[in-house]
Amino acid sequence: MGIIKVENIRVFANHGCLKEETAIGSDYRVDIKIKANLQSSSVSDDLADTVDYVFLNRVVREEMAKPSKLLESVAKRILNRFFEEESLITKATVAVRKVNPPIGGDVEMVTIQMTHKRKN
């Protein structure tokens, strides 16, 4: 087994419960941690034998582009796509951070994190 991380993916998106949030949008950061069998790719040196970072980034960008009220919904969609589209992934964690959230205080960011494991 091995771990692949794609960290601090910067995205501008329109998520939130307030109308202003979905109209104006804001900055987000997404971190991904994937657990997969990397033994084959470490020997073959072939992209087809591993989880492609381009795929991971594309899924994040596509799902972040769909407005949602809750970051939990976005994270769940990202996880669902990872497991539906890449059979090598055995476990995945997604953290979605909203920068400067409008919550009535001086808060740098809020983060939700979700993890999913493949069922045998």
Side-chain angles (χ1 to χ4, degrees), residues 4-116:
I4 295 172
K5 292 181 182 181
V6 182
E7 300 176 301
N8 207 25
I9 300 168
R10 293 182 275 303
V11 180
F12 186 86
N14 300 75
H15 305 300
C17 293
L18 304 174
K19 286 183 182 181
E20 295 82 11
E21 291 177 290
T22 55
I24 297 169
S26 73
D27 292 314
Y28 293 84
R29 304 292 183 263
V30 180
D31 293 329
I32 302 164
K33 182 178 178 182
I34 301 294
K35 187 172 183 182
N37 186 340
L38 304 179
Q39 294 305 311
S40 294
S41 60
S42 69
V43 174
S44 71
D45 197 30
D46 188 343
L47 183 59
D49 293 333
T50 193
V51 179
D52 187 353
Y53 319 144
V54 173
F55 159 75
L56 298 172
N57 186 56
R58 179 176 43 81
V59 168
V60 167
R61 292 190 173 285
E62 289 173 0
E63 294 306 324
M64 289 293 291
K66 301 173 186 173
S68 294
K69 290 181 183 175
L70 300 178
L71 298 181
E72 291 89 330
S73 298
V74 181
K76 183 64 175 168
R77 287 198 315 263
I78 292 168
L79 287 168
N80 287 344
R81 292 245 343 248
F82 285 169
F83 284 90
E84 289 168 6
E85 298 177 29
E86 180 50 74
S87 63
L88 290 175
I89 297 173
T90 58
K91 183 178 178 182
T93 299
V94 174
V96 180
R97 301 187 309 269
K98 185 172 198 167
V99 180
N100 297 320
I103 59 174
D106 186 11
V107 177
E108 183 178 353
M109 65 184 67
V110 294
T111 304
I112 66 96
Q113 180 173 305
M114 296 178 74
T115 301
H116 184 70

